Amino acid sequence: MVSGLIFVILAIGIWVWSKHMQTSSIPRGHLKAAIVEHAMSYVQKHGYRDLNLDTISRELNVSHGAPYRHFKTKTDLLANLALDGFTDLADTQEAFIDRYEPGSREQLVALSEAYVDFLARRQRLYDVMWDFTWTPDINPQTAQAARRTFILFTETVRAYIDNQGLDAQMQDEMQMAIWSLLHGLAVLALHKPEIVKPTPERLNMLVNSGMRALLDGYAVQQPRAVH
């Protein structure tokens, strides 16, 4: 009787130890990065809507509560993914616009091509970035990264307007027109690929033709008066 009880206790101890070893496969201090990496991979394949921390804990083979030590909610995790996306997008914007003279048509078109480059590489991360309004109270770092992309966008448009001698009051209108073109193509490419084939070649062709038509239209506007 006693020997049987000892055997059961030993068996339970071995099982608990083995489960602990299985759930400790991620090196200490690397769990947060592993969660973000796994979530990013999931989003790229399936989108973000069905992503949840419980599924991540099972798929990473960690304890149920482990992800919650780093992310209290799914929104917290998505904010980290969006932070990575906005940082990448801003870096891409800078790399593209720095190739051309400030205020030139080429630079403004290059700004638009930066969005295509980002979309082709990061794909469904785009939804995580733009389906939410990332305010500082949700995640200040994500909000700051998003604002960096916006500032790069507005400064490039402003430089073009100044360089072309257009009315400064056109800026809001021009920004909205360009953003509508880019965001519309992105949404169609991601969610209606039968309408817009999501390849860099196709997207660049559509962006370039759209930007040419848009800027040609603004070019015939009355130039700003010089005082």
Side-chain angles (χ1 to χ4, degrees), residues 179-190:
W179 176 241
S180 298
L181 169 67
L182 298 176
H183 188 63
L185 285 174
V187 171
L188 288 173
L190 287 172

Side-chain angles (χ1 to χ4, degrees), residues 62-179:
V62 298
S63 67
H64 173 78
Y68 294 93
R69 292 199 293 269
H70 299 284
F71 306 102
K72 294 180 180 180
T73 65
K74 174 181 174 178
T75 300
D76 289 339
L77 175 57
L78 291 178
N80 273 261
L81 303 188
L83 171 60
D84 182 86
F86 284 120
T87 301
D88 185 357
L89 176 58
D91 290 344
T92 304
Q93 288 173 297
E94 287 184 337
F96 274 64
I97 65 178
D98 284 350
R99 300 172 185 171
Y100 300 99
E101 189 71 22
S104 64
R105 172 182 284 221
E106 291 79 9
Q107 187 185 60
L108 193 54
V109 172
L111 175 74
S112 304
E113 291 174 342
Y115 283 86
V116 172
D117 178 87
F118 175 84
L119 182 65
R121 290 185 293 104
R122 307 306 299 270
Q123 299 178 9
R124 299 181 79 169
L125 179 61
Y126 187 92
D127 289 334
V128 178
M129 297 161 62
W130 301 110
D131 281 5
F132 303 86
T133 301
W134 295 111
T135 55
D137 59 302
I138 298 175
N139 187 300
Q141 290 79 23
T142 303
Q144 184 177 9
R147 179 161 178 76
R148 180 183 166 212
T149 68
F150 177 73
I151 290 173
L152 285 166
F153 179 76
T154 58
E155 287 182 346
T156 305
V157 174
R158 184 183 302 118
Y160 176 80
I161 289 174
D162 290 344
N163 189 55
Q164 300 299 315
L166 300 174
D167 189 339
Q169 294 183 358
M170 288 183 177
Q171 179 160 351
D172 287 344
E173 177 187 331
M174 184 180 289
Q175 287 174 180
M176 186 60 68
I178 295 172
W179 176 241

Side-chain angles (χ1 to χ4, degrees), residues 26-27 29-47 51-53 55-57 59-60 67 70-71 76-82 84 122 125:
I26 298 174
H30 291 73
L31 179 58
K32 182 177 181 179
I35 293 170
V36 171
E37 181 179 354
H38 188 81
M40 192 74 76
S41 177
Y42 181 96
V43 167
Q44 293 286 32
K45 294 176 183 176
H46 309 292
L51 178 70
N52 65 77
L53 294 171
T55 300
I56 290 176
S57 66
E59 293 180 351
L60 287 180
H70 299 284
F71 306 102
D76 289 339
L77 175 57
L78 291 178
N80 273 261
L81 303 188
D84 182 86
R122 307 306 299 270
L125 179 61

